[in-house]
Amino acid sequence: MTTADLAAGKEPRPMTRARPRHWPRALTTVFWFALAWGLLIGLWELGAAQGFLNDRILPPPSETIPFLLSGGANVGFGVQKTGLIDAVLVTLGRIGIGLSCGLGLAVLIGALIVEFVPARRLFLPIVQTIAPISPVAWIPFAIAIVGIGDPAAIFVVFMAIFGSMAVAAVAAFDAVPGEYVKVATTLGAGRLRIWLRVLLPGALPGIMTMTRMSLFGAWMAVLAGEMAGINSGLGYLIMMGQQMYNMKLVMSGIITIGVIGFLLDRVMLLIQGRVLWWERRT
């Protein structure tokens, strides 16, 4: 708006806020991601070509990636034959069920601990004791109780993440400012409404972060279980590759774990951004 326009009586145009463009940041992230992995793969290939790396133990990408894409990553014969895709689906199913059960019960126990003083005194020491126990320690117990197969793997995942998730849920609920609860109480909100409108939304960022971290714990737990006696899934595929000294199969399984884990983490971040919509406005 110029001085002449103001003299002519023209009304000033409302100022509009330019929308931030996120695509340059996304392109930068993709660029550095591709550069980092390109350098790693290049050094891996160069080390194998120059003899610094034993290509029988660590096959170069020029051999591993074609083997992975060719569909040769499988073990067994006939009806016992297990391929990479089947192993991935089995492992993901176990992670999904175990993580869902662990998250649901952990939030419920955390809410009970926060709401009732006797529950805090009884349950909190138990979950604090369970939290540091390694997933591997639960494998013999799981096999003895439910046998070999999906139930044992799901049980291992559940026990591996339940304790730490319950402790984190209690911390997230306790971190909600008490002033919020006092204001809601003053306005006449009942206890259930306070939980639904104040405590759960206030603790949701911490719970989402807890779930994201627990996803990695679930991965490690189920793979440990599959390698230690649960004869199916990605962990079993890698262990069989090691026993057959098929290092291409081993590396294919490891690469698959890394790629799927990375993609799942991106999905979790996307869900977190959608669920915690109010944080995007700050």
Side-chain angles (χ1 to χ4, degrees), residues 29-104:
T29 303
V30 171
F31 168 77
W32 285 109
F33 177 84
L35 179 62
W37 277 104
L39 288 173
L40 179 61
I41 291 174
L43 290 174
W44 179 6
E45 187 71 38
L46 181 62
Q50 297 297 321
F52 297 116
L53 300 175
N54 189 337
D55 58 0
R56 296 184 60 190
I57 298 176
L58 192 63
S62 59
E63 297 179 10
T64 302
I65 294 176
F67 175 81
L68 174 61
L69 299 177
S70 68
N74 50 66
V75 295
F77 302 95
V79 294
Q80 300 296 327
K81 186 175 182 179
T82 300
L84 184 62
I85 295 178
D86 294 334
V88 168
L89 294 177
V90 168
T91 299
L92 287 178
R94 292 166 174 170
I95 291 174
I97 297 174
L99 184 64
S100 300
C101 294
L103 174 62

Side-chain angles (χ1 to χ4, degrees), residues 239-255:
M239 183 59 62
M240 291 301 297
Q242 183 268 332
Q243 292 179 3
M244 297 185 300
Y245 203 71
N246 186 346
M247 300 311 295
K248 293 179 185 177
L249 178 59
V250 173
M251 291 307 303
S252 296
I254 293 174
I255 291 172

Side-chain angles (χ1 to χ4, degrees), residues 163-173 206-207 210:
S164 59
M165 291 175 75
V167 172
V170 172
F173 288 131
I207 293 175
M210 166 192 73

